[in-house]
């Protein structure tokens, strides 16, 4: 991480103010280093995504065969995901299934879940998409 | 189920089949505090400032991309027009600045950085003249820097001295990058009424009234509009406008959501969403195809300008309803080389530069990515730029010229850049002489705003 000159100056002045009369070059250095470390820490904490419902929409489609719903729901339950709603349609050989899934209490991140579902999709030769619910809310609800 | 089956499938179809994507998230960074009379200190200031704000730009964009399942095609940066903070520098130093910007862009992993720019519609400062002279070298010696110069505005008129200077710069850039089909010219746009918050390259820069740092984004979805028109079937043109509006509304809503989320991760203000339909060379992602789907045999057929006007206007209306942060260009782009349908129309001889010029009076930008013979005189290029600017100042709209006088090539040849820039057949330019007009120089006065007949 690189800091601009003015930032460094500000940090140093703050440190001097904090230490007062006792400031020695070594002490200032210690305090500044701590402050920089704190800054770096802060930068890597992602800002909260406001109003996040924690729900995702899982869409799956492909050629129908036994075990698709079982495999997908097993993967979801292994990841402690909660299925809110499920709906499916079958048109001759072709099926489409849509689930609303709550992943807020899951032990897996969305990315990990997507990776697992990609594996399931390859195995079953179907397509699975997982997208955050907000996309649908923004697109289809005024 | 909180959403209809059809709604969910519509979204999936848009993102997976019809090429709906976020074309660009562009972080704008002010460089106004980066000047130092020592060029080395200036360079250090520029580099560390860009890295400070943008080091997570690509990472955050990718995180949002996977969260919402909508791809973000490009992550880019825009900076304050370089001529403004660094007005005291000379050509050599501006080239140095271009190189350090290129290094910073490479380090943070963005594909382009815009802002090697000057705003000279009313006249030049000394630094602006130096920057313009540096453009051909900056573009030939860097990979990710793009440049734009605004030479005209409705309020100031057309600075013909700047037009002439830019015509020479375009020719010089073509020559210096002749090894790669004059690719430098694909990274250089001459503008009239340039918007200050445009996220699209090559015209992107961080305007002087913008905050310290901001996030602008551009959405793209000609494929989505094309499919919507196709599936609408036989309806009248009012119906077509309605279909385009509804579709644009949806993609703008999704786009704004993505932009705001990326800005939120950075903890910086969200700027604008540019609702331009920007084509790519991918099959089906074409403005030309949208025009054809409305019923014209090919782009260039009589009726093309009307169809494009309808499209451009409907896109704006749909987008404006969807978001209160609409800005930038917001309309339809017609870059020849970046649009499969336009490429084939140009190859078939269906579009001429004159027809394209007419189309620019109703599209959102101007003559874009048009390859012309390498021996076209600079004064003819100046004439074409002046014509574009005239359309812009009189109609109070943004127009531009991104012309590629491909060095050593003639009509019948093509230039091929691959990727987003695509390929373009060289199209003929009028052989009539413009020299005695353009070389008069001076400024074409700003137009009257009433008696608009």
């Amino acid at each position: 991480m690189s800091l601009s000159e003015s930032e460094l100056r500000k940090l140093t002045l703050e440190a001097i103010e904090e230490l007062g009369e006792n400031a020695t070059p070594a002490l200032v250095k210690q305090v500044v280093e701590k402050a920089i470390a704190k800054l770096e820490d802060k930068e890597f904490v992602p800002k909260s995504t406001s109003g996040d419902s924690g729900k995702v929409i899982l869409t799956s489609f492909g050629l129908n065969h036994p075990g698709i719903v079982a495999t997908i729901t097993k993967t979801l339950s292994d990841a402690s995901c909660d299925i809110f709603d499920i709906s499916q349609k079958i048109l001759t050989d072709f099926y489409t299934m849509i689930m609303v899934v709550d992943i807020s209490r899951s032990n897996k991140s969305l990315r990990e879940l997507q990776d697992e579902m990609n594996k399931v999709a390859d195995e079953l030769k179907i397509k699975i998409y997982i997208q955050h619910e907000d996309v649908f809310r923004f697109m289809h609800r005024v | 189920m909180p959403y209809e089956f059809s709604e969910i499938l519509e979204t999936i179809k848009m993102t997976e089949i019809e090429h709906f994507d976020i074309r660009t998230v562009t972080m704008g960074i002010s460089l106004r505090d980066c000047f130092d009379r020592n060029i080395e200190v200036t360079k250090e200031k520029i580099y560390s400032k860009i890295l400070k704000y943008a080091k997570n730009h690509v990472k955050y964009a990718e995180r949002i991309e996977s969260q919402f399942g909508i791809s973000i095609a490009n992550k880019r940066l825009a900076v304050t027009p370089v001529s403004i903070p660094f007005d005291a520098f000379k050509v050599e130093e501006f080239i140095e600045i271009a190189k350090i910007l290129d290094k910073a862009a490479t380090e943070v992993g963005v594909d382009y950085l815009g802002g090697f720019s000057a705003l000279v519609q009313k006249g030049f400062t000394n630094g602006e003249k130096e920057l313009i002279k540096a453009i051909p070298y900056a573009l030939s010696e860097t990979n990710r820097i793009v440049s734009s110069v605004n030479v005209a505005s409705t309020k100031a008129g057309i600075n013909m001295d700047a037009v002439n200077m830019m015509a020479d710069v375009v020719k010089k850039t073509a020559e210096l990058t002749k090894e790669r089909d004059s690719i430098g010219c694909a990274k250089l746009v001459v503008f009239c009424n340039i918007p200050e918050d445009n996220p699209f390259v090559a015209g992107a820069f961080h305007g002087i009234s913008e905050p310290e740092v901001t996030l602008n984004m551009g959405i793209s979805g000609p494929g989505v509009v094309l499919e919507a028109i196709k599936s609408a079937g036989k309806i009248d043109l009012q119906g077509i406008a309605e279909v385009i509006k509804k579709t644009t509304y949806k993609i703008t809503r999704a786009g704004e959501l993505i932009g705001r989320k990326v800005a939120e991760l950075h903890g910086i203000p969200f700027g604008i969403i540019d609702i331009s339909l920007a084509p790519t060379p991918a099959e089906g992602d074409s403005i030309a195809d949208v025009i054809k789907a409305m019923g014209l045999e090919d782009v260039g057929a009589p009726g093309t300008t009307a169809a494009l006007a309808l499209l451009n206007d409907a896109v704006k209306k749909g987008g404006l309803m969807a978001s209160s942060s609409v800005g930038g260009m917001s309309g339809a782009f017609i870059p020849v080389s970046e649009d499969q349908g336009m490429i084939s129309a140009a190859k078939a001889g269906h579009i001429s530069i004159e027809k394209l010029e007419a189309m620019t009076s109703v599209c959102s930008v101007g003559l874009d990515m048009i390859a012309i013979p390498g021996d076209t005189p600079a004064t003819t290029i100046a004439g074409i730029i002046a014509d574009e600017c005239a359309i812009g100042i009189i109609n109070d709209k943004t127009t531009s010229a991104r012309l590629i006088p491909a060095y050593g090539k003639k009509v019948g040849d093509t230039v091929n850049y691959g990727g987003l820039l695509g390929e373009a057949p060289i199209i003929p330019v009028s052989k009539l002489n413009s020299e005695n007009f353009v070389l008069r120089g001076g400024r074409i006065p700003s137009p009257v705003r009433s008696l608009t007949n």
Side-chain angles (χ1 to χ4, degrees):
Chain A
M1 165 168 171
S2 64
L3 289 171
S4 72
E5 252 175 79
S6 58
E7 279 169 323
L8 272 177
R9 196 173 305 125
K10 206 173 134 213
L11 274 176
T12 315
L13 285 176
E14 266 176 31
I16 292 171
E17 200 175 311
E18 197 179 309
L19 294 164
E21 303 266 308
N22 307 326
T24 62
L27 261 175
V28 173
K29 195 172 164 227
Q30 200 186 333
V31 173
V32 169
E33 273 172 1
K34 217 159 73 186
I36 291 177
K38 214 166 76 189
L39 266 180
E40 275 176 342
D41 268 357
K42 210 167 80 193
E43 270 179 328
F44 283 100
V45 179
K47 306 282 185 302
S48 74
T49 45
S50 55
D52 194 338
S53 64
K55 288 194 203 114
V56 297
I57 307 253
L58 183 151
T59 314
S60 153
F61 50 85
L63 282 180
N64 190 26
H65 55 84
I68 294 176
V69 177
T71 317
I72 292 175
T73 48
K74 173 82 173 38
T75 314
L76 287 175
S77 85
D78 287 350
S80 317
C81 296
D82 199 3
I83 300 175
F84 253 61
D85 205 340
I86 177 166
S87 159
Q88 79 160 356
K89 275 182 186 165
I90 295 179
L91 201 70
T92 56
D93 290 342
F94 201 76
Y95 89 96
T96 311
M97 180 184 66
I98 293 168
M99 282 178 182
V100 182
V101 185
D102 184 352
I103 61 162
S104 57
R105 273 173 296 171
S106 169
N107 48 20
K108 292 209 162 74
S109 72
L110 179 60
R111 179 71 71 90
E112 288 167 333
L113 208 58
Q114 282 168 332
D115 289 343
E116 291 217 353
M117 282 300 168
N118 284 340
K119 276 185 225 147
V120 173
D122 284 345
E123 251 170 60
L124 300 175
K125 297 197 174 58
I126 55 170
K127 290 265 182 201
I128 302 177
Y129 298 108
I130 302 183
Q131 286 164 293
H132 199 281
E133 183 205 15
D134 283 353
V135 179
F136 302 92
R137 192 156 55 83
F138 267 71
M139 269 188 159
H140 301 290
R141 297 288 176 270
V142 177
Chain B
M1 181 83 37
Y3 306 97
E4 299 291 327
F5 233 76
S6 57
E7 292 172 337
I8 289 176
L9 293 181
E10 184 186 2
T11 301
I12 303 268
K13 205 167 121 221
M14 280 182 184
T15 54
E16 299 303 319
I17 302 168
E18 295 162 7
H19 306 290
F20 167 49
D21 60 14
I22 307 300
R23 174 52 78 82
T24 176
V25 284
T26 305
M27 180 186 277
I29 301 171
S30 167
L31 294 185
R32 276 151 69 186
D33 57 353
C34 292
F35 177 76
D36 190 283
R37 59 185 166 182
N38 179 337
I39 178 72
E40 292 307 320
V41 178
T42 298
K43 279 163 64 182
E44 169 55 30
K45 280 184 171 180
I46 293 173
Y47 187 78
S48 55
K49 183 157 191 189
I50 290 176
L51 255 71
K52 175 181 156 200
Y53 284 121
K55 67 169 187 284
N56 291 323
H57 188 38
V58 174
K59 187 171 89 183
Y60 287 170
E62 282 169 354
R63 188 183 299 173
I64 296 295
E65 217 175 340
S66 79
Q67 189 175 4
F68 294 95
I70 296 177
S71 92
I72 300 174
N74 302 298
K75 295 90 185 169
R76 292 173 175 161
L77 300 179
V79 296
T80 310
V82 165
S83 65
I84 294 173
F86 310 118
D87 207 33
F89 285 143
K90 298 271 184 272
V91 175
E92 299 73 36
E93 284 139 342
F94 279 118
I95 298 170
E96 288 286 295
I97 289 174
K99 286 181 180 164
I100 195 74
L101 288 170
D102 195 44
K103 190 176 161 207
T106 311
E107 177 64 30
V108 299
V110 295
D111 66 342
Y112 289 114
L113 182 150
F116 199 78
S117 305
L119 311 171
V120 295
Q121 58 269 32
K122 200 142 182 209
F124 309 92
T125 63
N126 293 335
E128 281 163 346
K129 275 189 189 157
E130 296 290 319
L131 176 121
I132 291 173
K133 280 186 224 156
I135 288 173
Y137 306 97
L139 293 180
S140 61
E141 290 170 34
T142 62
N143 288 317
R144 302 178 192 224
I145 302 304
V146 292
S147 173
S148 56
V149 175
N150 194 65
V151 297
S153 78
T154 303
K155 289 261 166 73
I158 306 173
N159 180 351
M160 282 305 291
D161 298 326
V163 171
N164 286 322
M165 214 166 159
M166 285 313 295
D168 289 331
V169 165
V170 169
K171 288 279 283 183
K172 182 81 183 163
T173 307
E175 189 190 334
L176 288 181
T177 55
K178 62 183 175 191
E179 309 299 329
R180 296 173 60 204
D181 282 352
S182 301
I183 195 171
C185 298
K187 299 184 283 181
L188 171 62
V189 205
V190 186
F191 266 98
C192 163
N193 288 325
I194 192 168
E196 297 211 334
D197 49 12
N198 164 25
F200 287 99
V201 297
F205 70 86
H206 186 70
I208 48 168
S209 54
E210 297 287 313
E212 177 75 3
V213 56
T214 185
L215 195 98
N216 297 327
M217 58 168 326
I219 57 166
S220 173
V224 180
V225 173
L226 175 66
E227 285 308 313
I229 292 175
K230 276 185 182 166
S231 57
K234 267 200 151 334
I235 53 173
D236 70 3
L237 291 171
Q238 207 165 5
I240 295 270
E242 207 55 36
V243 167
I244 298 170
K245 263 163 56 183
K246 282 183 187 153
T247 312
T248 317
Y249 173 85
K250 287 177 188 167
I251 59 179
T252 307
R253 291 277 293 179
E256 184 173 357
L257 168 71
I258 304 282
R260 287 196 181 279
K261 292 287 177 189
V262 178
E264 204 173 274
L265 272 183
H266 280 290
I268 63 173
F270 176 69
I272 58 100
I273 174 165
D274 187 325
I275 43 167
S276 289
L277 292 188
T280 67
E283 201 64 49
D285 203 18
S286 152
I287 297 291
D289 288 352
V290 173
I291 288 171
K292 284 193 271 183
M294 287 189 211
L296 294 165
E297 186 183 342
D298 199 357
V299 184
T304 300
T305 311
L308 184 60
L310 184 161
L311 172 67
N312 203 48
D313 183 63
V315 165
K316 285 183 202 294
K317 286 173 178 164
L320 283 168
M321 167 75 189
S323 167
S324 300
S325 310
V326 173
M329 309 283 192
S330 288
F333 290 172
I334 48 168
V336 174
S337 77
E338 299 173 8
D339 183 318
Q340 201 53 52
M342 295 292 278
I343 295 169
S344 60
K347 278 185 177 160
H350 292 163
I351 44 172
S352 62
I353 203 156
E354 288 76 19
K355 185 63 184 175
L356 284 164
E357 182 187 317
M359 289 163 72
T360 64
S361 63
V362 298
C363 81
S364 69
V365 203
L367 292 174
D368 201 10
M369 291 300 283
I370 297 172
I372 55 175
D375 61 359
T376 310
T379 48
T380 301
I381 293 175
I384 298 173
I385 295 172
D387 283 345
E388 260 323 283
C389 292
I391 291 172
I393 65 166
I394 300 289
N395 295 305
D396 204 2
K397 76 181 286 293
T398 301
T399 51
S400 67
R402 183 157 51 148
L403 301 169
I404 305 157
Y407 194 85
K409 300 217 170 188
K410 51 187 191 312
V411 177
D413 296 342
T414 50
V415 291
N416 196 340
Y417 304 120
L420 267 185
L421 296 174
E423 59 163 324
I426 314 281
I427 60 174
V429 171
S430 168
K431 295 262 191 254
L432 298 175
N433 192 320
S434 319
E435 192 175 325
N436 292 338
F437 173 72
V438 297
L439 291 186
R440 281 173 187 266
R443 192 152 52 88
I444 296 182
S446 57
V448 64
R449 304 293 294 277
S450 59
L451 290 169
T452 50
N453 310 309

